[in-house]
Amino acid sequence: MLPKTPQRLINFRKANKRMPRRRLDIKIDKINHKHPDYLAKFTTETGKILPRRLTGISAWMHRKITREIKRSRAVNLHP
């Protein structure tokens, strides 16, 4: 069964993209609010947190990174 319009089909394909390869180069002990330079790899130049589909990390690690970025911002360590 196809969507009613071509635009809906395009939106469906955009929403169901495959995740990129899993990143295994991330050290869990480095994910801490005391390492803002390491956490900066997961943010844009403007400070927004990158989504999982761009970084390729697991959901639980993304939640951990998000939590630590917000802690780093609260202590004024994160640029």
Side-chain angles (χ1 to χ4, degrees):
M1 186 164 138
L2 290 173
K4 291 181 181 179
T5 63
Q7 185 61 41
R8 285 186 179 179
L9 181 64
I10 292 169
N11 291 341
F12 178 77
R13 287 190 180 140
K14 281 184 184 177
N16 290 318
K17 283 186 180 178
R18 289 184 56 95
M19 286 284 288
R21 296 193 108 200
R22 293 280 179 220
R23 291 185 59 173
L24 303 173
D25 61 340
I26 300 168
K27 298 179 181 80
I28 295 176
D29 56 336
K30 283 273 196 169
I31 300 173
N32 194 343
H33 68 279
K34 297 175 185 173
H35 300 286
D37 50 338
Y38 191 75
L39 294 174
K41 290 175 27 176
F42 303 101
T43 59
T44 61
E45 296 93 22
T46 57
K48 292 183 177 181
I49 300 171
L50 291 171
R52 276 187 59 217
R53 62 183 150 75
L54 294 181
T55 57
I57 56 178
S58 62
W60 70 270
M61 191 173 286
H62 188 266
R63 287 191 292 268
K64 183 178 175 77
I65 289 171
T66 301
R67 193 177 318 122
E68 294 301 325
I69 288 172
K70 290 180 180 182
R71 280 184 188 156
S72 179
R73 286 177 183 163
V75 185
N76 287 332
L77 292 177
H78 194 67

Coordinates of all heavy atoms in Angstrom, one line a residue:
M1 N 0.8 -1.2 0.0 CA 0.0 0.0 0.0 C 0.9 1.2 0.0 O 1.8 1.4 0.9 CB -0.9 0.0 1.2 CG -1.9 1.1 1.3 SD -3.1 0.7 2.5 CE -3.3 2.3 3.2
L2 N 0.7 2.1 -1.0 CA 1.5 3.3 -1.1 C 0.8 4.5 -0.5 O -0.4 4.5 -0.3 CB 1.7 3.6 -2.6 CG 2.6 2.6 -3.3 CD1 2.6 3.0 -4.8 CD2 4.0 2.7 -2.8
P3 N 1.6 5.5 0.0 CA 1.0 6.7 0.5 C 0.2 7.4 -0.6 O 0.3 7.2 -1.8 CB 2.2 7.6 0.9 CG 3.2 6.6 1.1 CD 3.0 5.5 0.2
K4 N -0.7 8.3 -0.2 CA -1.7 9.0 -1.1 C -1.0 9.9 -2.1 O -1.4 10.0 -3.2 CB -2.7 9.8 -0.3 CG -3.7 8.9 0.4 CD -4.7 9.7 1.2 CE -5.6 8.8 1.9 NZ -6.6 9.6 2.7
T5 N 0.0 10.6 -1.6 CA 0.7 11.6 -2.5 C 2.2 11.3 -2.6 O 2.8 10.7 -1.7 CB 0.5 13.1 -1.9 OG1 1.1 13.1 -0.6 CG2 -1.0 13.4 -1.8
P6 N 2.8 11.8 -3.6 CA 4.3 11.6 -3.7 C 5.1 12.3 -2.6 O 6.1 11.8 -2.2 CB 4.6 12.3 -5.1 CG 3.4 12.4 -5.8 CD 2.3 12.4 -4.8
Q7 N 4.6 13.4 -2.1 CA 5.3 14.1 -1.0 C 5.2 13.2 0.3 O 6.2 13.2 1.0 CB 4.6 15.4 -0.7 CG 5.4 16.3 0.3 CD 6.8 16.6 -0.1 OE1 7.1 16.9 -1.2 NE2 7.7 16.5 0.9
R8 N 4.1 12.5 0.5 CA 4.1 11.7 1.7 C 5.1 10.5 1.6 O 5.7 10.1 2.5 CB 2.7 11.1 1.9 CG 1.7 12.1 2.5 CD 0.4 11.5 2.7 NE -0.6 12.4 3.3 CZ -1.8 12.2 3.7 NH1 -2.3 10.9 3.5 NH2 -2.6 13.1 4.1
L9 N 5.2 10.0 0.3 CA 6.2 8.9 0.1 C 7.6 9.4 0.4 O 8.4 8.7 1.0 CB 6.1 8.4 -1.3 CG 7.0 7.3 -1.7 CD1 6.7 6.0 -0.9 CD2 6.9 7.0 -3.2
I10 N 7.9 10.6 -0.1 CA 9.2 11.2 0.2 C 9.5 11.4 1.7 O 10.5 11.1 2.2 CB 9.4 12.6 -0.5 CG1 9.4 12.3 -2.1 CG2 10.6 13.3 -0.1 CD1 9.3 13.6 -2.9
N11 N 8.5 11.9 2.4 CA 8.6 12.1 3.8 C 8.8 10.8 4.6 O 9.5 10.7 5.5 CB 7.4 12.8 4.4 CG 7.3 14.3 4.0 OD1 8.3 14.8 3.5 ND2 6.2 14.9 4.0
F12 N 8.1 9.7 4.1 CA 8.2 8.4 4.7 C 9.6 7.9 4.5 O 10.2 7.3 5.5 CB 7.2 7.5 4.1 CG 7.3 6.1 4.6 CD1 6.7 5.8 5.9 CD2 7.9 5.1 3.9 CE1 6.8 4.5 6.4 CE2 7.9 3.8 4.4 CZ 7.4 3.5 5.6
R13 N 10.2 8.1 3.4 CA 11.5 7.6 3.1 C 12.6 8.4 3.9 O 13.6 7.8 4.4 CB 11.9 7.7 1.7 CG 11.2 6.6 0.9 CD 11.7 6.5 -0.5 NE 11.0 5.5 -1.3 CZ 10.6 5.6 -2.5 NH1 10.8 6.7 -3.2 NH2 10.0 4.6 -3.2
K14 N 12.3 9.7 4.1 CA 13.2 10.5 4.9 C 13.2 10.1 6.4 O 14.2 10.0 7.1 CB 12.9 12.0 4.8 CG 13.3 12.6 3.6 CD 13.0 14.1 3.7 CE 13.3 14.8 2.4 NZ 12.9 16.2 2.4
A15 N 12.0 9.7 6.9 CA 11.9 9.4 8.3 C 12.5 8.0 8.6 O 12.9 7.8 9.7 CB 10.4 9.4 8.7
N16 N 12.5 7.1 7.6 CA 13.0 5.8 7.9 C 14.4 5.5 7.3 O 14.6 4.4 6.7 CB 12.0 4.8 7.3 CG 10.7 4.8 8.1 OD1 10.7 4.8 9.3 ND2 9.6 4.7 7.4
K17 N 15.3 6.5 7.5 CA 16.6 6.3 7.0 C 17.4 5.3 8.0 O 17.1 5.2 9.2 CB 17.4 7.6 7.0 CG 17.0 8.4 5.8 CD 17.9 9.7 5.8 CE 17.6 10.6 4.7 NZ 18.4 11.8 4.7
R18 N 18.3 4.6 7.5 CA 19.1 3.7 8.3 C 20.1 4.5 9.1 O 20.6 5.6 8.7 CB 19.9 2.7 7.4 CG 19.0 1.7 6.8 CD 19.8 0.7 6.1 NE 20.8 0.0 6.9 CZ 20.7 -1.1 7.5 NH1 19.5 -1.8 7.4 NH2 21.7 -1.6 8.2
M19 N 20.4 4.0 10.3 CA 21.4 4.7 11.1 C 22.8 4.5 10.5 O 23.1 3.4 9.9 CB 21.4 4.1 12.5 CG 20.3 4.5 13.4 SD 20.4 6.1 14.0 CE 21.7 5.9 15.2
P20 N 23.7 5.4 10.7 CA 25.1 5.2 10.2 C 25.8 4.1 11.0 O 25.2 3.6 12.0 CB 25.8 6.6 10.4 CG 25.0 7.2 11.4 CD 23.6 6.7 11.3
R21 N 27.0 3.8 10.7 CA 27.7 2.7 11.4 C 27.9 3.2 12.8 O 28.1 4.3 13.1 CB 29.1 2.5 10.8 CG 28.9 1.9 9.4 CD 30.3 1.4 8.9 NE 30.1 0.0 8.9 CZ 31.1 -0.9 9.0 NH1 32.4 -0.4 9.0 NH2 30.9 -2.2 8.9
R22 N 27.8 2.2 13.7 CA 28.0 2.5 15.1 C 29.4 3.0 15.4 O 30.4 2.4 14.8 CB 27.7 1.2 16.0 CG 26.3 0.8 15.9 CD 25.5 1.6 16.9 NE 24.1 1.2 16.8 CZ 23.1 2.1 16.9 NH1 23.3 3.3 16.9 NH2 21.9 1.6 16.8
R23 N 29.5 3.9 16.3 CA 30.8 4.5 16.7 C 31.4 3.7 17.8 O 30.7 3.6 18.9 CB 30.7 6.0 17.0 CG 30.5 6.8 15.7 CD 30.5 8.2 16.0 NE 31.8 8.6 16.6 CZ 32.1 9.9 16.8 NH1 31.2 10.8 16.5 NH2 33.2 10.2 17.2
L24 N 32.5 3.2 17.7 CA 33.1 2.4 18.8 C 34.4 3.1 19.3 O 35.1 2.6 20.2 CB 33.6 1.0 18.3 CG 32.4 0.2 17.7 CD1 32.9 -1.1 17.1 CD2 31.4 -0.1 18.8
D25 N 34.7 4.4 18.8 CA 35.8 5.1 19.2 C 35.6 6.0 20.5 O 36.5 6.7 20.9 CB 36.4 5.9 18.1 CG 35.3 6.9 17.6 OD1 34.2 6.8 17.9 OD2 35.8 7.9 17.0
I26 N 34.4 5.9 21.1 CA 34.1 6.8 22.2 C 34.5 6.1 23.5 O 34.1 5.0 23.7 CB 32.6 7.1 22.1 CG1 32.2 7.8 20.8 CG2 32.2 8.0 23.3 CD1 30.8 7.9 20.6
K27 N 35.2 6.8 24.3 CA 35.6 6.3 25.6 C 34.6 6.7 26.6 O 34.4 7.9 26.8 CB 37.0 6.8 25.9 CG 38.1 6.3 24.9 CD 39.4 6.8 25.3 CE 40.5 6.4 24.4 NZ 40.5 7.2 23.2
I28 N 34.0 5.8 27.4 CA 33.0 6.1 28.3 C 33.6 6.9 29.5 O 32.9 7.8 30.0 CB 32.3 4.8 28.8 CG1 31.6 4.1 27.6 CG2 31.3 5.1 29.9 CD1 31.0 2.8 28.0
D29 N 34.8 6.7 29.9 CA 35.4 7.4 31.0 C 35.6 8.9 30.6 O 35.8 9.7 31.5 CB 36.6 6.7 31.5 CG 37.7 6.6 30.4 OD1 37.3 6.5 29.3 OD2 38.9 6.5 30.8
K30 N 35.7 9.2 29.4 CA 35.9 10.6 28.9 C 34.6 11.4 28.9 O 34.6 12.6 28.9 CB 36.5 10.6 27.5 CG 38.0 10.3 27.5 CD 38.7 11.6 27.7 CE 40.2 11.4 27.3 NZ 40.9 12.6 27.2
I31 N 33.5 10.7 28.9 CA 32.2 11.4 28.9 C 31.9 11.8 30.3 O 31.3 11.1 31.1 CB 31.1 10.4 28.4 CG1 31.4 10.0 27.0 CG2 29.7 11.2 28.4 CD1 30.5 8.9 26.4
N32 N 32.3 13.1 30.5 CA 32.2 13.7 31.9 C 32.1 15.2 31.6 O 32.7 15.7 30.7 CB 33.4 13.3 32.7 CG 33.1 13.6 34.2 OD1 32.2 14.4 34.5 ND2 33.9 13.0 35.0
H33 N 31.4 15.9 32.5 CA 31.2 17.3 32.3 C 32.6 18.1 32.5 O 32.7 19.2 32.2 CB 30.2 17.9 33.3 CG 30.5 17.8 34.7 ND1 30.4 16.7 35.5 CD2 31.0 18.8 35.5 CE1 30.8 16.9 36.7 NE2 31.2 18.2 36.8
K34 N 33.6 17.4 33.1 CA 34.9 18.0 33.3 C 35.7 18.0 32.0 O 36.8 18.5 32.0 CB 35.6 17.3 34.4 CG 34.9 17.4 35.7 CD 35.5 16.6 36.8 CE 34.7 16.7 38.1 NZ 35.3 15.8 39.1
H35 N 35.3 17.3 30.9 CA 36.0 17.3 29.7 C 35.2 18.0 28.6 O 34.6 17.3 27.7 CB 36.2 15.8 29.3 CG 37.0 15.0 30.2 ND1 38.4 15.2 30.4 CD2 36.7 14.1 31.1 CE1 38.8 14.4 31.3 NE2 37.8 13.7 31.8
P36 N 35.1 19.3 28.6 CA 34.2 20.0 27.6 C 34.8 19.9 26.2 O 34.0 19.9 25.3 CB 34.2 21.4 28.1 CG 35.4 21.6 29.0 CD 35.6 20.2 29.6
D37 N 36.1 19.8 26.1 CA 36.6 19.7 24.7 C 36.2 18.4 24.0 O 36.0 18.3 22.8 CB 38.2 19.8 24.7 CG 38.8 18.9 25.8 OD1 38.1 18.5 26.7 OD2 40.0 18.6 25.6
Y38 N 36.1 17.3 24.8 CA 35.6 16.0 24.3 C 34.1 16.0 24.0 O 33.7 15.5 23.0 CB 35.9 14.9 25.3 CG 35.7 13.5 24.7 CD1 36.7 13.0 23.9 CD2 34.6 12.7 25.1 CE1 36.5 11.7 23.3 CE2 34.5 11.5 24.5 CZ 35.4 11.0 23.7 OH 35.2 9.7 23.1
L39 N 33.4 16.7 24.8 CA 31.9 16.8 24.6 C 31.6 17.7 23.4 O 30.5 17.6 22.8 CB 31.2 17.4 25.9 CG 31.2 16.5 27.1 CD1 30.7 17.2 28.3 CD2 30.5 15.2 26.8
A40 N 32.6 18.6 23.1 CA 32.3 19.5 21.9 C 32.2 18.8 20.6 O 31.7 19.3 19.6 CB 33.4 20.5 21.9
K41 N 32.7 17.5 20.6 CA 32.6 16.7 19.3 C 31.1 16.4 19.0 O 30.8 16.0 17.9 CB 33.4 15.4 19.5 CG 34.9 15.6 19.5 CD 35.7 14.4 19.8 CE 35.1 13.0 19.5 NZ 36.1 11.9 19.7
F42 N 30.3 16.5 20.0 CA 28.9 16.1 19.9 C 27.9 17.3 19.8 O 26.7 17.2 19.9 CB 28.4 15.2 21.0 CG 29.3 14.0 21.1 CD1 30.3 13.9 22.1 CD2 29.1 12.9 20.2 CE1 31.1 12.7 22.2 CE2 29.9 11.8 20.3 CZ 30.9 11.7 21.3
T43 N 28.5 18.5 19.6 CA 27.7 19.7 19.4 C 28.1 20.4 18.2 O 29.2 20.2 17.6 CB 27.9 20.6 20.6 OG1 29.3 21.0 20.8 CG2 27.4 20.0 21.9
T44 N 27.3 21.3 17.7 CA 27.6 22.1 16.5 C 28.4 23.4 17.0 O 28.6 23.6 18.2 CB 26.3 22.6 15.8 OG1 25.5 23.4 16.7 CG2 25.5 21.4 15.3
E45 N 28.8 24.2 16.1 CA 29.5 25.5 16.4 C 28.6 26.4 17.2 O 29.1 27.2 18.0 CB 29.9 26.2 15.1 CG 30.9 25.5 14.3 CD 30.3 24.6 13.2 OE1 29.1 24.9 12.8 OE2 30.9 23.7 12.8
T46 N 27.3 26.3 17.0 CA 26.4 27.2 17.8 C 26.0 26.6 19.1 O 25.4 27.3 19.9 CB 25.1 27.4 17.0 OG1 24.5 26.2 16.7 CG2 25.4 28.2 15.7
G47 N 26.4 25.4 19.4 CA 26.2 24.8 20.7 C 25.0 23.8 20.8 O 24.7 23.3 21.9
K48 N 24.4 23.5 19.7 CA 23.3 22.6 19.7 C 23.8 21.1 19.7 O 24.9 20.8 19.1 CB 22.4 22.7 18.4 CG 21.7 24.0 18.4 CD 20.8 24.0 17.1 CE 19.9 25.3 17.1 NZ 19.1 25.3 15.9
I49 N 23.1 20.3 20.4 CA 23.5 18.9 20.5 C 23.1 18.1 19.2 O 22.0 18.2 18.8 CB 22.9 18.2 21.8 CG1 23.3 19.0 23.0 CG2 23.2 16.8 21.8 CD1 22.5 18.6 24.3
L50 N 24.1 17.4 18.7 CA 23.9 16.7 17.4 C 23.0 15.5 17.7 O 23.1 14.8 18.7 CB 25.2 16.2 16.8 CG 26.1 17.3 16.3 CD1 27.4 16.7 15.9 CD2 25.5 18.0 15.1
P51 N 22.1 15.2 16.7 CA 21.2 14.0 16.9 C 21.9 12.7 16.7 O 23.0 12.7 16.2 CB 20.1 14.2 15.8 CG 20.8 15.1 14.8 CD 21.7 15.9 15.5
R52 N 21.3 11.7 17.2 CA 21.9 10.3 17.1 C 22.2 9.9 15.7 O 23.2 9.2 15.4 CB 20.9 9.3 17.7 CG 21.0 9.2 19.2 CD 20.2 8.0 19.7 NE 20.6 6.8 19.1 CZ 19.7 5.8 18.7 NH1 18.4 6.0 18.9 NH2 20.2 4.7 18.2
R53 N 21.3 10.2 14.8 CA 21.5 9.7 13.4 C 22.7 10.3 12.8 O 23.2 9.8 11.8 CB 20.3 10.0 12.6 CG 19.9 11.4 12.4 CD 18.5 11.5 11.6 NE 17.8 12.6 12.0 CZ 18.0 13.8 11.6 NH1 19.1 14.1 10.8 NH2 17.3 14.8 11.9
L54 N 23.2 11.5 13.3 CA 24.4 12.1 12.7 C 25.7 11.6 13.4 O 26.7 11.4 12.8 CB 24.4 13.6 12.8 CG 23.3 14.3 12.0 CD1 23.4 15.8 12.2 CD2 23.5 13.9 10.5
T55 N 25.6 11.3 14.7 CA 26.8 10.9 15.5 C 26.9 9.4 15.4 O 28.1 8.9 15.5 CB 26.7 11.3 16.9 OG1 25.5 10.8 17.5 CG2 26.7 12.8 17.0
G56 N 25.9 8.6 15.3 CA 26.0 7.2 15.2 C 26.2 6.5 16.5 O 26.8 5.4 16.6
I57 N 25.8 7.1 17.6 CA 26.0 6.5 18.9 C 24.7 5.9 19.4 O 23.6 6.1 18.9 CB 26.5 7.5 20.0 CG1 25.5 8.7 20.0 CG2 27.9 8.0 19.6 CD1 25.9 9.7 21.1
S58 N 24.8 5.0 20.4 CA 23.6 4.3 20.9 C 22.7 5.2 21.7 O 23.1 6.3 22.1 CB 24.0 3.1 21.7 OG 24.7 3.6 22.9
A59 N 21.5 4.8 22.0 CA 20.5 5.7 22.6 C 21.0 6.0 24.1 O 20.9 7.1 24.5 CB 19.1 5.0 22.6
W60 N 21.4 4.9 24.8 CA 21.8 5.2 26.2 C 23.0 6.1 26.3 O 23.1 6.9 27.2 CB 22.0 3.9 26.9 CG 23.2 3.1 26.5 CD1 23.3 2.1 25.5 CD2 24.5 3.2 27.1 NE1 24.5 1.6 25.4 CE2 25.3 2.3 26.4 CE3 25.1 4.0 28.1 CZ2 26.7 2.1 26.7 CZ3 26.4 3.8 28.3 CH2 27.2 2.9 27.6
M61 N 23.9 5.9 25.3 CA 25.1 6.8 25.3 C 24.7 8.2 24.9 O 25.3 9.2 25.5 CB 26.2 6.3 24.4 CG 27.5 7.0 24.6 SD 28.8 6.2 23.7 CE 29.1 4.7 24.6
H62 N 23.8 8.4 24.0 CA 23.3 9.7 23.7 C 22.7 10.4 24.8 O 22.9 11.6 25.1 CB 22.4 9.6 22.5 CG 22.0 11.0 21.9 ND1 20.9 11.7 22.3 CD2 22.6 11.8 21.0 CE1 20.9 12.8 21.7 NE2 21.9 12.9 20.9
R63 N 21.9 9.7 25.6 CA 21.3 10.3 26.8 C 22.4 10.7 27.8 O 22.3 11.8 28.4 CB 20.3 9.3 27.5 CG 19.0 9.2 26.7 CD 18.0 8.4 27.5 NE 18.4 7.0 27.7 CZ 18.0 6.0 26.9 NH1 17.3 6.2 25.8 NH2 18.4 4.8 27.2
K64 N 23.4 9.9 28.0 CA 24.5 10.2 28.9 C 25.2 11.4 28.4 O 25.6 12.3 29.2 CB 25.4 9.0 29.0 CG 26.5 9.2 30.0 CD 27.4 7.9 30.0 CE 28.6 8.0 30.9 NZ 28.3 8.0 32.3
I65 N 25.5 11.5 27.1 CA 26.3 12.7 26.6 C 25.4 13.9 26.7 O 26.0 15.0 27.1 CB 26.6 12.4 25.1 CG1 27.7 11.3 25.0 CG2 27.1 13.7 24.4 CD1 28.0 10.9 23.7
T66 N 24.1 13.8 26.5 CA 23.3 15.0 26.6 C 23.2 15.5 28.0 O 23.3 16.7 28.3 CB 21.8 14.6 26.2 OG1 21.9 14.2 24.8 CG2 20.9 15.8 26.3
R67 N 23.2 14.6 29.0 CA 23.2 14.9 30.4 C 24.4 15.6 30.8 O 24.4 16.6 31.5 CB 23.0 13.6 31.2 CG 22.6 13.9 32.7 CD 22.4 12.6 33.4 NE 21.6 11.6 32.6 CZ 22.0 10.4 32.3 NH1 23.1 9.9 32.7 NH2 21.2 9.6 31.6
E68 N 25.6 15.1 30.3 CA 26.9 15.7 30.7 C 27.1 17.0 30.0 O 27.7 17.9 30.6 CB 28.0 14.7 30.3 CG 28.0 13.4 31.1 CD 28.1 13.7 32.6 OE1 28.8 14.6 33.0 OE2 27.5 12.9 33.4
I69 N 26.6 17.2 28.8 CA 26.7 18.5 28.1 C 25.9 19.6 28.9 O 26.4 20.7 29.1 CB 26.2 18.4 26.6 CG1 27.2 17.7 25.8 CG2 26.0 19.8 26.1 CD1 26.8 17.4 24.4
K70 N 24.7 19.2 29.3 CA 23.9 20.1 30.1 C 24.5 20.4 31.5 O 24.5 21.6 31.9 CB 22.5 19.6 30.3 CG 21.7 19.5 29.0 CD 20.3 19.0 29.1 CE 19.6 19.0 27.8 NZ 18.2 18.5 27.9
R71 N 25.1 19.5 32.1 CA 25.9 19.7 33.3 C 27.0 20.7 33.1 O 27.3 21.6 33.9 CB 26.4 18.4 33.9 CG 25.4 17.6 34.7 CD 26.0 16.4 35.3 NE 25.0 15.6 35.9 CZ 25.1 14.3 36.1 NH1 26.2 13.7 35.8 NH2 24.1 13.6 36.6
S72 N 27.7 20.4 32.0 CA 28.9 21.3 31.7 C 28.4 22.7 31.4 O 29.1 23.7 31.8 CB 29.6 20.7 30.4 OG 30.7 21.5 30.1
R73 N 27.3 22.9 30.8 CA 26.8 24.2 30.5 C 26.4 24.9 31.9 O 26.6 26.1 32.0 CB 25.5 24.2 29.6 CG 25.8 23.9 28.2 CD 24.5 23.8 27.4 NE 24.7 23.4 26.1 CZ 23.8 22.9 25.3 NH1 22.6 22.7 25.8 NH2 24.0 22.7 24.0
A74 N 25.8 24.1 32.8 CA 25.4 24.7 34.1 C 26.6 25.2 34.9 O 26.5 26.1 35.6 CB 24.6 23.7 34.9
V75 N 27.7 24.5 34.7 CA 28.9 24.9 35.5 C 29.8 25.9 34.7 O 30.8 26.3 35.1 CB 29.8 23.6 35.8 CG1 31.0 23.9 36.7 CG2 28.9 22.6 36.5
N76 N 29.3 26.3 33.5 CA 30.0 27.2 32.6 C 31.3 26.7 32.1 O 32.3 27.4 31.9 CB 30.2 28.6 33.2 CG 28.9 29.3 33.3 OD1 28.0 29.1 32.5 ND2 28.8 30.2 34.3
L77 N 31.4 25.4 31.8 CA 32.6 24.8 31.2 C 32.5 24.6 29.7 O 33.5 24.7 29.0 CB 32.9 23.5 31.9 CG 33.3 23.5 33.3 CD1 33.5 22.1 33.8 CD2 34.6 24.2 33.5
H78 N 31.3 24.4 29.3 CA 31.1 24.1 27.9 C 31.1 25.4 27.1 O 30.4 26.3 27.4 CB 29.8 23.3 27.7 CG 29.7 22.7 26.3 ND1 30.5 21.6 25.9 CD2 28.8 22.9 25.3 CE1 30.1 21.3 24.7 NE2 29.2 22.0 24.3
P79 N 31.8 25.4 26.0 CA 31.8 26.7 25.1 C 30.5 26.9 24.4 O 29.8 26.1 24.1 CB 33.0 26.4 24.2 CG 33.2 24.9 24.1 CD 32.7 24.4 25.4

